[in-house]
Amino acid sequence: MAVPRFWREISNRYNLIGTKCGNCNKVFFPPRYLCPKCRRIGKLEPYKLNGKGKIISFTVTHVAPNGFEDQAPYALAIIELDEGPRLTAQVTDCDPNQIKIGDRVEMIFRRIGQDGEDGAIYYGYKARLV
Amino acid sequence: MRKVAIIGVGLTKFGELWDVSLRRLMLEAGARAIEDAGIDGKKIDAMYVGNMSAGQFISQEHIASLIVDHAGLTPIPCTRVEAACASGGSALRQAVITVASGIHDIVVAAGIEKMTDVLAEQTTEALITAADQEWEAFVGATFPGLYALMARRHMYEFGTTEAQLAKVAVKNHHNACFNPCAQYQMEITVEDVLNSAPVTTPLKLLDCSPITDGAACVILAPFDRAREFTDTPILVAGTGQASDTISLHDRPTLTGIAATNKAAELAYKMAGVGPNDIDLAEVHDCFTIAEIMAIEDLGFCKKGDGGKVTERGETAIGGRIPINTSGGLKGKGHPIGATGIAQAVEITQQLRGEAGKRQVNGAEIGLTHNVGGSGGTVVVHIMRRGD
């Protein structure tokens, strides 16, 4: 992946900044740039999420894609944040086999992967059980 | 709008076909379809080709030009259609719409994927590009992983078991034993599935469809001209397509694919039939959980009952609603772009009564269900005997 593609999402990924529609107040993360409900009258502004949420579903991935082999097996989950939006993230700092649907989590800053042996290191969010 | 018929079908062997290139594979399926229709290739007016990712798999884009060239059919228009795993179904729908509109008469809908010219890990990487690269793949999601998230939630909400998931694979491998084109013509047991290596829990290796080379082709004509070519025209009675968010996490429910509900509703309405009228269906079982959700979302059983219905044998050949008589993606193989077309080939053969040992007796109406990605695109077609 070319560096600009990662670089332009840094603030969203590092600080969990999504968007909020000023018209209907719906919060989006990952960010959307058009509110599907309000369309042209929607007013999307950056919005920082507090990073607390719960697990909707999870899987423990044993066969990892390129760049994630050294992390396997890892837990991957769909998490519903308290403000409403859902995201996909790894669940870290725990035995992946102890995770249950409904568990409370908080999002934390972590290393996600690396672009080959001498490429950029990617950072972003993972979840931790609370 | 004109009525549209399938007048010819062709399928290659599905599998790891080291000795054939994409262009030869496509030619083979096309030649079989032309022979089946008994048509002169020069009568073909246009082509659509479903293909997900020749760019990633064989570093070749512009395959519409490559294929029409090597088929010796230049200068007719040929268009590649991409919708991830629903590329084939989408190409078929475009071909149907073209014939229905009156713009062209004889139109080919083809599908192809040549997946084994790259290493297995590159294949996995190519496939995940059907998901959101920035917010799913970036954090380590794989395609099996996304379907595993659906499976886990389905198990949680409805009590679906891993043994019920395994039954889908067992049934589809059994059906594939009677399909000479299938990749896996071998029986497996529930224990084999349960004891196979974990890929991403709760899905194991034998819950997943394989990496496959293959091509498929159907030839369409206006229904009122179909008898020039065949005594058993198959009417494309309904076509429906729907979309949803590309990311799984953006959908309110994980236990079904909403675009399947919508695409099926449109196809049923156009065909003037309902789920109870369908005699058999080819559904998108890229993973075992996908077949369970599909039979629910298409209306063949109540939401949540897919596992139980499968366990009771209702979806086997001879059961209430036979599903994936071809072996499905699991047993027959899943050459991504070819899959949606191969489904139409199977339903055509079944409705003509040409399916040999896997024949569903008295089949008159069949359905195909083709899913792109984790459910961002779904295409449903309903076919019926035209005689």
Side-chain angles (χ1 to χ4, degrees):
Chain A
M1 189 156 48
V3 171
R5 187 171 175 185
F6 171 73
W7 166 79
R8 76 174 79 97
E9 302 295 345
I10 280 179
S11 70
N12 304 95
R13 288 197 180 119
Y14 285 19
N15 303 312
L16 221 61
I17 293 173
T19 51
K20 182 177 181 176
C21 177
N23 193 51
C24 71
N25 290 324
K26 195 169 161 75
V27 177
F28 301 102
F29 192 92
R32 281 184 184 272
Y33 305 100
L34 179 137
C35 174
K37 186 173 162 226
C38 304
R39 305 196 58 81
R40 266 184 300 176
I41 55 168
K43 294 181 189 66
L44 288 168
E45 298 289 346
Y47 183 85
K48 183 166 167 46
L49 290 115
N50 80 8
K52 305 271 196 296
K54 65 176 180 186
I55 289 177
I56 299 297
S57 191
F58 69 95
T59 177
V60 181
T61 297
H62 293 260
V63 180
N66 281 348
F68 290 88
E69 300 92 334
D70 58 338
Q71 302 178 42
Y74 54 84
L76 188 82
I78 289 183
I79 291 154
E80 185 171 285
L81 299 172
D82 291 346
E83 296 92 338
R86 290 180 177 184
L87 53 77
T88 305
Q90 287 186 32
V91 185
T92 190
D93 298 356
C94 68
D95 170 3
N97 298 309
Q98 71 180 63
I99 298 169
K100 298 184 303 300
I101 287 175
D103 281 352
R104 293 285 302 168
V105 295
E106 63 181 356
M107 305 311 294
I108 48 174
F109 181 77
R110 278 288 189 278
R111 178 181 176 276
I112 302 294
Q114 188 168 345
D115 196 4
E117 290 212 344
D118 27 75
I121 295 174
Y122 301 138
Y123 296 91
Y125 49 80
K126 290 188 182 182
R128 178 165 69 188
L129 298 175
V130 290
Chain B
M1 198 167 68
R2 303 193 294 182
K3 284 187 178 177
V4 180
I6 295 174
I7 58 166
V9 297
L11 198 64
T12 65
K13 174 86 178 76
F14 278 15
E16 293 177 313
L17 310 175
W18 313 111
D19 54 336
V20 280
S21 59
L22 179 137
R23 64 189 74 183
R24 289 193 61 180
L25 203 52
M26 191 69 262
L27 206 54
E28 192 182 320
R32 286 181 185 175
I34 283 173
E35 194 180 333
D36 182 51
I39 196 172
D40 177 354
K42 293 286 174 202
K43 287 194 173 159
I44 295 168
D45 297 313
M47 280 181 76
Y48 288 88
V49 184
N51 174 262
M52 174 179 165
S53 210
Q56 294 188 89
F57 290 125
I58 63 163
S59 302
Q60 175 74 61
E61 302 292 10
H62 205 192
I63 67 158
S65 170
L66 177 78
I67 286 166
V68 74
D69 173 9
H70 280 267
L73 292 176
T74 55
I76 67 164
C78 181
T79 307
R80 171 180 168 182
V81 181
E82 190 274 313
C85 319
S87 298
S90 301
L92 175 60
R93 183 174 151 84
Q94 291 310 308
V96 168
I97 289 169
T98 302
V99 176
S101 75
I103 286 185
H104 294 298
D105 268 11
I106 310 297
V107 177
V108 166
I112 187 160
E113 212 75 52
K114 176 70 193 167
M115 301 175 71
T116 63
D117 278 355
V118 290
L119 300 173
E121 54 265 34
Q122 289 170 279
T123 312
T124 311
E125 196 141 295
L127 294 175
I128 192 61
T129 62
D132 190 330
Q133 284 300 290
E134 306 291 354
W135 306 101
E136 292 185 314
F138 180 80
V139 300
T142 59
F143 251 98
L146 296 175
Y147 277 89
L149 290 164
M150 298 191 237
R152 174 87 63 197
R153 189 73 202 187
H154 203 280
M155 293 163 74
Y156 175 79
E157 288 188 30
F158 304 117
T160 304
T161 65
E162 292 183 46
Q164 288 170 344
L165 297 180
K167 282 288 273 189
V168 172
V170 171
K171 168 183 69 74
N172 291 350
H173 270 253
H174 176 74
N175 293 351
C177 289
F178 307 113
N179 184 349
C181 287
Q183 183 165 5
Y184 293 133
Q185 295 169 47
M186 62 175 196
E187 302 277 359
I188 56 169
T189 65
V190 168
E191 289 68 37
D192 290 336
V193 183
L194 295 177
N195 294 329
S196 62
V199 172
T200 179
T201 64
L203 299 181
K204 294 159 286 287
L205 186 63
L206 291 178
D207 285 298
C208 306
S209 58
I211 291 165
T212 310
D213 300 324
C217 187
V218 306
I219 303 178
L220 305 176
F223 187 74
D224 58 14
R225 278 193 62 192
R227 285 186 186 282
E228 291 174 32
F229 310 101
T230 176
D231 292 333
T232 52
I234 301 302
L235 176 69
V236 183
T239 175
Q241 180 175 341
S243 60
D244 205 343
T245 62
I246 187 167
S247 294
L248 179 64
H249 57 230
D250 276 337
R251 301 187 208 139
T253 174
L254 302 183
T255 55
I257 290 179
T260 296
N261 300 128
K262 187 64 192 170
E265 184 191 318
L266 294 165
Y268 285 139
K269 190 175 171 214
M270 182 172 167
V273 300
N276 293 333
D277 300 312
I278 304 296
D279 296 315
L280 80 161
E282 288 285 301
V283 309
H284 199 90
D285 60 321
C286 47
F287 301 95
T288 49
I289 182 63
E291 177 168 318
I292 287 180
M293 294 192 301
I295 61 175
E296 298 167 351
D297 297 338
L298 291 165
F300 300 143
C301 66
K302 217 175 81 197
K303 190 76 219 168
D305 282 356
K308 294 180 206 109
V309 161
T310 304
E311 199 166 39
R312 289 199 293 262
E314 293 183 29
T315 56
I317 295 171
R320 177 172 65 85
I321 171 79
I323 301 291
N324 286 329
T325 56
S326 69
L329 286 57
K330 178 70 197 85
K332 182 178 56 186
H334 183 25
I336 310 295
T339 283
I341 303 293
Q343 293 176 328
V345 172
E346 174 70 8
I347 294 297
T348 299
Q349 290 176 337
Q350 285 281 357
L351 298 183
R352 288 172 174 175
E354 294 174 353
K357 285 185 178 168
R358 56 184 202 282
Q359 182 64 46
V360 173
N361 291 328
E364 293 198 354
I365 306 181
L367 178 148
T368 62
H369 164 255
N370 194 197
V371 178
S374 62
T377 302
V378 176
V379 186
V380 172
H381 282 97
I382 294 169
M383 286 98 171
R384 65 189 307 166
R385 286 184 65 103
D387 49 1

